């Protein structure tokens, strides 16, 4: 059997890694996955700053290259180039979009602002404190209260950019959904998931129906995995 043309470097727990594996899976692109945590030897061996994910492209036009492509947005664009269908892009008129670049705007906002607010501010502190077992739930809530309030406001602003129903951009599934979902799936797995609005919860319900979401759930916080 011919090995897959692509290898993804990154733990399933990594939200950015999951965004990429969601896209690969949705588009039916076979890949192997090397599970490693950020700033590990394997991570540094494939990314100059030890971040995740890295996509190793083993072959281009029949020629062996073993090219290492880093940064999730760049990887997503490459995936679109080699597998345009099913499309994960939007067009003007999808949801609140006037121009198609608004999808990449949403992706950038999710990564630059959503990730630190969700993961660094709330999810990892909550999981670490819970696992340590030295604080009560009320004490943990008090400890992360400022971060939760910041997150609540951020989610409200993200929701303002979303269509009133359906996916982020209405009836059209896009990379915006695949970059936001891993973050909110982690959030929903902890008590602070209570900040999720009805609109966000309805969106997550729709996302959970996708085969790509089901296939990439193992190894995530939703099923009891822990952050590196």
């Amino acid at each position: 059997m011919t090995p897959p043309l692509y290898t993804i470097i990154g733990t399933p727990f990594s939200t950015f890694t999951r965004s990429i594996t969601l896209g690969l899976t949705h588009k039916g692109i076979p890949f192997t996955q090397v599970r490693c945590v950020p700033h590990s030897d394997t991570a540094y061996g494939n990314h100059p700053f030890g971040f995740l994910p890295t996509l190793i492209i083993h072959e281009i036009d029949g020629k062996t290259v073993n090219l290492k492509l880093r940064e999730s947005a760049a990887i997503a664009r490459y995936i679109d180039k080699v597998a345009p269908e099913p499309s994960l892009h939007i067009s003007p008129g999808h949801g609140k979009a006037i121009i198609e670049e608004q999808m990449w705007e949403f992706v950038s906002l999710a990564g630059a602002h959503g990730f630190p607010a969700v993961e660094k501010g709330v999810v990892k502190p909550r999981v670490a404190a819970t696992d340590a077992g030295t604080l009560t739930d009320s004490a943990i809530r008090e400890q992360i209260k400022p971060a939760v309030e910041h997150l609540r406001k951020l989610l409200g602003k993200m929701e303002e950019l979303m269509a009133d129903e359906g996916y982020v951009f209405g009836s059209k599934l896009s990379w915006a959904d695949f970059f936001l979902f891993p973050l909110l799936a982690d959030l929903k797995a902890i008590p602070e998931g209570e900040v999720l609005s009805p609109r966000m919860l309805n969106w997550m319900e729709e996302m959970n129906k996708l085969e790509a979401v089901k296939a990439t759930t193992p190894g995530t916080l939703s099923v009891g995995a822990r952050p590196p």
Side-chain angles (χ1 to χ4, degrees), residues 4 6-7 17 22 35 37 41 59 63-64 76 80 83 90-91 105 111 117 120 124 142 144 151 178 201:
Y6 307 103
T7 297
T17 299
L22 279 165
R35 302 184 177 206
V37 298
D41 289 344
E59 185 179 297
K63 180 180 179 181
T64 300
D80 283 337
I90 64 165
S91 299
E105 174 191 54
K120 294 182 178 180
K124 290 186 178 182
E142 187 63 27
I144 62 176
L151 175 58
F178 283 169
L201 291 171

Side-chain angles (χ1 to χ4, degrees), residues 31-88:
F31 64 94
T32 56
Q33 186 165 3
V34 176
R35 302 184 177 206
C36 70
V37 298
H39 308 299
S40 62
D41 289 344
T42 300
Y44 275 114
N46 291 279
H47 190 292
F49 307 116
F51 293 136
L52 304 175
T54 293
L55 179 72
I56 302 179
I57 305 165
H58 297 295
E59 185 179 297
I60 297 178
D61 296 330
K63 180 180 179 181
T64 300
V65 292
N66 292 323
L67 172 67
K68 295 175 181 177
L69 185 63
R70 298 94 172 190
E71 298 304 296
S72 301
I75 296 171
R77 285 175 168 85
Y78 178 78
I79 292 171
D80 283 337
K81 185 169 72 172
V82 298
E85 299 296 334
S87 173
L88 286 171

Side-chain angles (χ1 to χ4, degrees), residues 16 107-121 150-151 154-155 158 180 183-184:
F16 286 111
V107 166
S108 181
L109 290 170
H113 303 283
F115 177 81
V118 174
E119 298 294 337
K120 294 182 178 180
H150 170 69
L151 175 58
L154 180 140
L155 291 177
M158 296 295 287
L180 181 62
L183 295 171
L184 298 198

